Amino acid sequence: MEIRNARRWAEPGAKRYVGALMVVFAAFLLRSLMHPVLDHSMPGVFFACAVIIVEFVWGLGPALMAMVISIPIFDFFFVPPFRDIAMVDRRDVMIVTGFLSITPLAVVLIERLRRAQYRAELIAEVAQTRYEMLLRAENERMVLSDSVQLGNALMTYLTKHLDTIFYLANPATHYEFVDEHFRRATGVTPEVVKRDGLRALLHPEDAARLAGLFRADGERPQHGAHNLRMRTREGGYEMFHCELQYFRAHVGTYAILRLHAGPTVRPVTSLHALTPAANAREVSEAPVVSGGV
């Protein structure tokens, strides 16, 4: 992968050059403190180290500046005769030549290493970004695939049992549908159904038994056949044989109640044997539909 801006690994700005001057000044102070001990030995070593530090931290430009200003400083203060620029002898030439032979080589090597490091970091960031994009695309694909499968299952189930479905809900999205014809048969007003939902049509004991249908965090009743007592216009309750099914989607679980009818319907559970599922996660989510209606 070609990275064109690998040379821009160092932050731009004048602060780099100010920092380079401070490092050279620190090298000068340190060499001055060591001068009584070192005398004329190693006049350019501290400044070479300063240039290497500047190159590693701030890049090529400040390092070249530090190298250029270091030569007259150490030659004037730490090369005999001290503090004299009128006389240039063989010692001066050899020290400056040695400094210019080693320091630029170190600067070039460090610059190449820093560019390679920055290039590797850029490639890693690009790879991470592309990986995250692929993950998001895969998640979206899975969500769409699940939505298609859910839509197919729902359409199949609704088409097969359209005439008998009277309740459809998803507590996670606060969606609840009660069939209007079924509501009219119970005599409950639309305002009450809008406020209380299916609970307005059920016997209080049955509403308590199916309480998990109305809360996203509740324990869902077991899918399958149920006997439910519904209100009538006369004020009493009538027993209905119903079937409860679940369809799980990424936006929550859809619950569908339909009326049992016809000779091929499996036997319904007796009232005293009806108990909520011990754990909603153990309830099968696959729509196992009984015989045709």
Side-chain angles (χ1 to χ4, degrees):
M1 180 184 297
E2 182 180 359
I3 304 296
R4 297 182 179 179
N5 57 347
R7 68 183 62 182
R8 300 178 182 177
W9 61 269
E11 296 183 1
K15 293 182 179 180
R16 299 188 301 159
Y17 295 91
V18 176
L21 291 175
M22 297 297 294
V23 173
V24 173
F25 182 69
F28 170 75
L29 291 179
L30 186 59
R31 181 60 179 81
S32 299
L33 293 175
M34 298 292 294
H35 187 64
V37 178
L38 298 177
D39 194 32
H40 62 277
S41 302
M42 298 187 298
V45 172
F46 291 87
F47 295 92
C49 294
V51 173
I52 292 174
I53 293 173
V54 170
E55 165 60 31
F56 184 82
V57 177
W58 290 297
L60 185 60
L64 293 177
M65 183 197 71
M67 183 171 58
V68 171
I69 65 175
S70 295
I71 294 174
I73 293 176
F74 73 73
D75 186 64
F76 179 76
F77 288 99
F78 307 116
V79 177
F82 303 123
R83 303 176 187 274
D84 185 7
I85 60 174
M87 180 179 177
V88 178
D89 56 8
R90 181 171 173 270
R91 180 192 296 269
D92 295 311
V93 175
M94 291 182 62
I95 292 176
V96 173
T97 302
F99 181 83
L100 292 178
S101 300
I102 298 175
T103 308
L105 178 61
V107 168
V108 171
L109 292 177
I110 294 175
E111 178 68 18
R112 290 182 64 87
L113 289 175
R114 293 291 279 173
R115 289 186 182 184
Q117 178 187 10
Y118 186 62
R119 180 176 180 273
E121 292 175 355
L122 291 178
I123 292 176
E125 292 179 1
V126 171
Q128 180 66 24
T129 302
R130 292 181 178 179
Y131 175 70
E132 293 175 356
M133 292 173 61
L134 288 175
L135 282 182
R136 286 194 294 268
E138 177 64 16
N139 290 336
E140 292 175 358
R141 187 196 66 80
M142 293 178 63
V143 169
L144 291 176
S145 177
D146 292 343
S147 299
V148 171
Q149 293 180 8
L150 173 66
N152 292 337
L154 274 175
M155 290 301 297
T156 301
Y157 189 83
L158 293 175
T159 303
K160 187 175 182 180
H161 305 291
L162 182 61
D163 295 337
T164 58
I165 292 175
F166 66 92
Y167 181 72
L168 174 63
N170 185 348
T173 59
H174 305 287
Y175 171 77
E176 189 173 36
F177 164 78
V178 178
D179 182 70
E180 179 65 15
H181 298 287
F182 192 81
R183 181 201 63 78
R184 292 176 182 175
T186 62
V188 181
T189 62
E191 292 76 13
V192 176
V193 173
K194 184 177 181 180
R195 184 188 67 226
D196 298 332
L198 181 65
R199 285 170 290 191
L201 312 181
L202 294 174
H203 189 279
E205 294 180 359
D206 295 336
R209 180 159 49 86
L210 300 180
L213 285 180
F214 315 122
R215 299 193 307 270
D217 56 348
E219 292 186 358
R220 295 195 295 268
Q222 186 175 4
H223 76 287
H226 290 267
N227 287 327
L228 300 178
R229 289 163 288 183
M230 302 286 183
R231 291 184 182 273
T232 62
R233 287 184 175 274
E234 292 75 18
Y237 291 92
E238 181 180 354
M239 181 70 68
F240 286 89
H241 306 316
C242 306
E243 183 178 67
L244 174 63
Q245 294 293 349
Y246 296 108
F247 292 85
R248 186 173 58 187
H250 66 282
V251 294
T253 300
Y254 288 90
I256 298 179
L257 274 172
R258 73 179 186 91
L259 296 176
H260 268 310
T264 59
V265 174
R266 64 190 177 194
V268 296
T269 308
S270 58
L271 280 175
H272 67 274
L274 287 173
T275 56
N279 190 334
R281 295 181 181 176
E282 298 176 359
V283 177
S284 173
E285 302 291 350
V288 182
V289 183
S290 61
V293 176

